[in-house]
Amino acid sequence: MDLTNILFYENTLIKQINSADVVLAAGAYPASGSYIDVSGLHRIAFLIAPGTLGAQQTWQVQQATTNNGTLKDVTGAVVIVAANGDGKPCVLEVGVDKLDINGGYKFVTLLNTGGAAGNYTSLIFLGWGKRIPVMQDANYGQSVALVG
């Protein structure tokens, strides 16, 4: 696929999953019923931007066949953020080809197994590589600026 003439904003899906002012609990982000459909995307990433942490966080990308289906791990797609990782963002990136596409898995979520009182983390989902422009949810992308 030739993406040389496609603009970044036309080819990128961006969703805010959690804001830094909301305390985290252990669980899936987004929650069951809202897993993200990645069919047609080539790569996905979760931007994990810790604010103040009270405990270590373990983040695992998981996959499902429906937006509320049974989850299973995406092999190797895990990151641990230390309790002293305040203000140290990381990116967890996965090629969609790492999902069990043949098994019908096309939805993803990010599982937090280290949520505890005092953990504040902003979570952003990024997906890119579509052949046609991605439609942004009205609640997310506030503006687009093209430079150059």
Side-chain angles (χ1 to χ4, degrees):
M1 167 173 45
D2 180 16
L3 298 177
T4 55
N5 293 318
I6 297 176
L7 299 172
F8 179 80
Y9 84 92
E10 291 178 326
N11 200 41
T12 307
L13 173 63
I14 303 170
K15 291 188 175 209
Q16 181 175 4
I17 299 171
N18 193 67
S19 65
D21 60 348
V22 177
V23 70
L24 291 170
Y29 291 86
S32 180
S34 298
Y35 301 154
I36 301 166
D37 184 351
V38 298
S39 59
L41 295 172
H42 292 281
R43 296 199 69 76
I44 62 170
F46 289 91
L47 172 60
I48 302 164
T52 303
L53 299 179
Q56 173 179 292
Q57 297 178 335
T58 300
W59 296 99
Q60 169 71 55
V61 178
Q62 294 197 311
Q63 57 188 322
T65 57
T66 63
N67 71 349
N68 63 350
T70 302
L71 295 169
K72 73 175 186 176
D73 291 349
V74 175
T75 303
V78 63
V79 66
I80 297 172
V81 179
N84 64 353
D86 297 9
K88 297 175 184 169
C90 62
V91 174
L92 188 49
E93 182 178 345
V94 179
V96 173
D97 61 344
K98 299 299 182 194
L99 275 62
D100 182 6
I101 300 297
N102 293 332
Y105 287 81
K106 65 175 189 173
F107 292 87
V108 296
T109 189
L110 190 61
L111 183 67
N112 175 18
T113 56
N119 277 344
Y120 294 87
T121 299
S122 178
L123 300 172
I124 307 290
F125 172 84
L126 303 165
W128 59 93
K130 288 192 74 98
R131 295 178 190 267
I132 58 173
V134 176
M135 299 304 296
Q136 296 290 343
D137 186 308
N139 293 326
Y140 300 111
Q142 298 298 319
S143 63
V144 174
L146 298 177
V147 179

